[in-house]
Amino acid sequence: MDGLDRRDFIKSVAGVAALSTAEFAAAASAAKTGPVFLATWPHGKPAVDRAAEVFQSGGSLMDAVEKGINVAEDDPRIMSVGYGGLPNEDGEVELDAAIMNGTLHRAGSVCALHSIKNPISVARLVIEKTRHTTLAGEGAYQFALKEGFKPMQLLTPASLQKWLDWRATPNHEQYWINADNHDTIGLVATDGKGHVVSGCSTSGSAWKIHGRVGDSPLVGCGVYADDNVGATSATGDGDIMTNYCTSVSIVHNMARGASPQDACEDLLKHMAETDPKNREAFVAVIAMDKQGRIGALSMNAPLTPAQPGFQYAVWQNGESKLVNAAAMY
Ligand code: SD4
């Protein structure tokens, strides 16, 4: 939070709360920006481009977020999402995804889904075809089959080789305490008229214990969307972030008047203050308010030796670009 400590932040929030409804509405509408699509990592760029294309050709914002995320899920080169994602300790790919509609205040999610390459599409059908929010494991798989999804082998020759290499590494059980591979796709969007959607999809932490569920499919952790405020998503170490309900915490910070960037900073600062070890953690977040203003932040840079920094993709006014996010520490 630039030059603001927590007490100042709370005061500034109180100032916003003092605005009359009319003043607040006027400020909000002045800031409207048209549709905006924001996604994590370089693979977010083709995703936001696809999302914008779907939206501009008449699709809904839910369609746009789902189809945008499908691009990363379908790409075998991306080893942290969908087809080609790195498997669990047993060599099986287990996928997590969630999507949340900010108008309906309704999310659908699937966890530990095997053999189906587009978990975000299954998650969306959880909203549309059921009264449930989250389906897990075999139940999620059976639901996907009933809805017409075709099972397939999600390992590619490259991801299989990585798993074999890991298995051949002495002391490879260390992964129980030291995880790597965090490149979830998170995609948040606004239609430019106050509607927001958030989605994310991941193969989760590589070599995880069978059945491990990260933050991504947990509503309020990996995704959150509320048309009254905005939408957020998170990427990184879900075993840490889940404990902070990352996405809903940032939305609540925005609801109290923080800008998207300040809302991200406040949460990451809180994480670092409650446990100093979190300063070294791999945590990165994206946020958008309902006016289309964006925020993005990672806890530290470089994130890992293999991943020198957190980048996000943004599409706005007909153009997309990749941007280096700020780091907290
Ligand atoms: C998880 N947050 O399962 C996910 C993994 C991820 O980038 O990469 N995020 O912990």
Side-chain angles (χ1 to χ4, degrees):
M1 190 173 296
D2 294 338
L4 269 188
D5 66 21
R6 185 173 285 266
R7 202 174 320 135
D8 290 333
F9 170 61
I10 289 164
K11 272 197 245 150
S12 74
V13 165
V16 170
L19 284 178
S20 71
T21 311
E23 285 168 326
F24 195 83
S29 69
K32 277 194 181 136
T33 49
V36 186
F37 300 90
L38 170 68
T40 55
W41 303 112
H43 54 235
K45 192 162 182 299
V48 293
D49 287 340
R50 176 76 183 127
E53 188 180 87
V54 168
F55 186 70
Q56 290 189 310
S57 52
S60 68
L61 206 59
M62 288 288 281
D63 294 333
V65 169
E66 177 195 347
K67 303 295 176 207
I69 288 176
N70 285 160
V71 174
E73 291 176 333
D74 290 345
D75 187 339
R77 294 167 304 177
I78 302 170
M79 297 186 119
S80 48
V81 182
Y83 177 50
L86 294 178
N88 66 16
E89 62 176 332
D90 303 326
E92 183 166 37
V93 181
E94 289 183 316
L95 303 177
D96 294 339
I99 186 165
M100 184 159 183
N101 181 325
T103 307
L104 303 176
H105 212 89
R106 174 88 166 90
S109 76
V110 290
C111 335
L113 174 64
H114 64 86
S115 311
I116 304 291
K117 77 177 163 65
N118 295 120
I120 194 76
S121 301
V122 184
R124 182 173 177 187
L125 285 178
V126 174
I127 300 179
E128 291 178 359
K129 297 285 181 79
T130 83
R131 62 174 297 282
H132 303 315
T133 297
T134 303
L135 296 180
E138 204 52 32
Y141 175 65
Q142 293 300 334
F143 171 75
L145 293 186
K146 279 187 202 137
E147 291 303 320
F149 289 82
K150 299 280 174 261
M152 61 180 281
Q153 173 55 264
L154 297 180
L155 283 174
T156 58
S159 61
L160 173 62
Q161 190 56 53
K162 283 212 171 236
W163 178 71
L164 291 170
D165 292 347
W166 168 76
R167 290 269 294 184
T169 310
N171 303 324
H172 61 260
E173 290 83 3
Q174 292 286 339
Y175 76 97
W176 280 30
I177 40 175
N178 292 315
D180 58 13
N181 184 50
H182 295 284
D183 273 351
T184 292
I185 178 132
L187 203 167
V188 299
T190 179
D191 62 356
K193 297 178 185 156
H195 174 36
V196 292
V197 169
S198 173
C200 74
S201 181
T202 187
S203 51
S205 179
W207 335 132
K208 60 193 174 186
I209 296 173
H210 168 55
R212 176 265 190 191
V213 173
D215 60 318
S216 305
L218 302 180
V219 181
C221 295
V223 296
Y224 203 71
D226 180 345
D227 281 5
N228 293 306
V229 184
T232 51
S233 187
T235 175
D237 190 335
D239 293 308
I240 293 176
M241 289 190 292
T242 297
N243 296 283
Y244 291 87
C245 299
T246 320
S247 288
V248 72
S249 298
I250 294 170
V251 167
H252 284 171
N253 286 344
M254 291 195 287
R256 290 195 295 267
S259 69
Q261 191 65 29
D262 283 353
C264 294
E265 286 189 20
D266 195 53
L267 193 259
L268 267 53
K269 191 168 171 222
H270 172 64
M271 291 178 74
E273 283 172 356
T274 48
D275 183 350
K277 286 199 297 299
N278 286 341
R279 281 180 179 234
E280 313 304 321
F282 182 3
V283 169
V285 291
I286 55 173
M288 179 186 290
D289 65 13
K290 65 178 181 176
Q291 291 87 39
R293 296 179 303 167
I294 64 172
L297 187 68
S298 66
M299 183 68 89
N300 49 57
L303 295 169
T304 70
Q307 287 166 318
F310 175 52
Q311 292 183 305
Y312 63 91
V314 59
W315 184 102
Q316 192 165 13
N317 300 324
E319 282 181 8
S320 64
K321 61 183 174 186
L322 202 55
V323 182
N324 294 322
M328 189 82 196
Y329 297 107

